[in-house]
């Protein structure tokens, strides 16, 4: 009898533990913050900025809107926010800066225009509404229809993201690449283009601002490397950032098993400068791994694995 009572107690204890864990799991799922997908879901009611002015949803729809949670005690966040705001005319982007200390934030930001609102009222409630954890700050970008297009934890430069939504006159990236690089009159590009004109040949130039072996950039290097081995009649050149040393290049070639027909060098000064200007406008993720095809001096650009493979297979 005593043995049966012990077994019953153990069974009851296990059932209690299972129920507790199940309830806890459900509560975690319910409490897990979600990212708002549109402005309607977060701004159903008016906001109040630190001057007492009301901000209504109707004034935001029709404009690209960036909601930035900013801690004025974090210098990097303040500096990045100032740079981002300064990049746009008031009619291009509406900025809502949500902060725990509006007075401190205003003291660090200069020349704020009417398209910038600073909100401190109900700061904690807004963090919950946007799913922003206590430890960090997040940024949200909504398009003109109020749909969420991007959010991060101050990970990358926000300007290229906003450019694609707010700068309607921004040239498409392939055209911008060719136009910008065509203007170079010295360095690698001029040399390669001159050789293809003289010899009536073709060349392939791959441009990278960063490479990681297990990421798409590494896959792009492998793809170009494979074609360089198949087409020994074509000159292949891979250009890395100017700060790569000779040792960096040798390690890069060893790690990615670069063959002899794919020459690896660093970008010359003028090219590196043009490349940086393109990154500032379009973002590193968009242009990293660009492949230029040179046919008798004429440039064309290929972006992304499928397009690059298609263009390389048609050489």
């Amino acid at each position: 009898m005593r043995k049966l009572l012990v077994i019953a107690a153990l069974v009851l204890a296990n059932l209690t533990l299972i129920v507790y864990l199940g309830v806890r799991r459900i509560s975690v799922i319910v409490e897990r913050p979600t990212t708002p997908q549109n402005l309607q879901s977060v701004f159903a009611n008016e906001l109040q900025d630190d001057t007492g002015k009301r901000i209504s949803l109707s004034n935001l729809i029709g404009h690209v809107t960036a909601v930035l949670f900013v801690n004025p005690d974090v210098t990097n966040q303040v500096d990045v926010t100032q740079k981002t705001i300064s990049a746009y005319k008031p009619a291009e982007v509406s900025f809502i800066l949500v902060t725990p200390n509006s007075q401190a934030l205003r003291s660090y930001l200069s020349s704020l225009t009417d398209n910038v609102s600073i909100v401190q009222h109900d700061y904690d409630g807004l963090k919950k509404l946007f799913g922003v954890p206590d430890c960090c700050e997040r940024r949200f970008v909504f398009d003109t229809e109020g749909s969420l297009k991007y959010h991060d934890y101050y990970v990358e430069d926000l300007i290229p993201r906003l450019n694609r939504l707010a700068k309607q006159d921004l040239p498409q990236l392939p055209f911008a690449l060719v136009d910008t690089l065509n203007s170079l009159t010295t360095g690698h590009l001029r040399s390669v283009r001159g050789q293809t004109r003289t010899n009536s040949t073709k060349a392939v130039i791959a441009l990278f601002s960063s490479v990681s072996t297990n990421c798409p950039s590494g896959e792009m290097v492998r793809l170009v490397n494979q074609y360089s081995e198949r087409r020994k009649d074509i000159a292949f050149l891979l250009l890395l950032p100017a700060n790569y040393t000779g040792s960096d290049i040798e390690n890069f070639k060893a790690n990615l098993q670069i063959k002899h027909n794919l020459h690896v060098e660093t970008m010359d000064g003028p090219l590196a400068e043009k490349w940086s200007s393109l990154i500032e406008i379009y973002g590193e993720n968009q242009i990293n791994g660009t492949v230029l095809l040179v046919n008798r001096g004429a440039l064309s650009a290929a972006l992304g694995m499928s397009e690059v493979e298609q263009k390389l297979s048609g050489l």
Side-chain angles (χ1 to χ4, degrees), residues 48-167:
Q48 178 180 317
D49 71 10
D50 63 336
T51 68
K53 179 183 175 182
R54 297 284 179 175
I55 306 168
S56 66
L57 175 67
S58 60
N59 291 334
L60 298 174
I61 298 298
H63 298 271
V64 176
T65 301
V67 180
L68 316 179
F69 284 78
V70 188
N71 184 345
D73 294 329
V74 180
T75 303
N76 177 63
Q77 290 184 18
V78 175
D79 291 344
V80 166
T81 299
Q82 178 70 74
K83 176 187 174 185
T84 304
I85 292 172
S86 300
Y88 298 96
K89 300 174 183 177
E92 292 178 329
V93 182
S94 295
F95 291 95
I96 297 176
L97 313 182
V98 185
T99 180
N101 190 335
S102 63
Q103 186 175 0
L105 184 59
R106 278 192 182 276
S107 69
Y108 295 131
L109 299 176
S110 61
S111 303
L112 295 182
T113 50
D114 291 340
N115 64 318
V116 182
S117 301
I118 299 181
V119 176
Q120 180 179 327
H121 179 70
D122 195 23
Y123 173 75
D124 292 333
L126 288 172
K127 286 198 84 170
K128 285 184 179 179
L129 193 61
F130 277 84
V132 180
D134 293 336
C135 66
C136 321
E137 284 72 42
R138 298 179 74 188
R139 305 180 297 181
F140 303 82
V141 174
F142 299 88
D143 65 13
T144 55
E145 296 180 354
S147 298
L148 180 69
K149 291 301 179 182
Y150 178 72
H151 58 90
D152 75 347
Y153 289 92
Y154 287 83
V155 173
E156 65 177 60
D157 187 356
L158 201 61
I159 292 175
R161 296 276 181 178
L162 289 170
N163 281 346
R164 293 199 288 276
L165 297 173
K167 298 285 189 182

Side-chain angles (χ1 to χ4, degrees), residues 194-215:
Q195 290 173 11
T196 60
R197 286 194 190 100
T198 302
N199 302 323
S200 298
T201 57
K202 300 176 182 178
V204 173
I205 304 174
L207 302 164
F208 290 88
S209 50
S210 64
V211 178
S212 178
T213 54
N214 296 321
C215 291

Side-chain angles (χ1 to χ4, degrees), residues 164-182:
R164 293 199 288 276
L165 297 173
K167 298 285 189 182
Q168 300 301 321
D169 57 346
L170 196 66
Q172 292 185 11
L173 181 53
F175 298 111
L177 277 163
V178 172
D179 287 345
T180 300
L181 299 180
N182 265 335

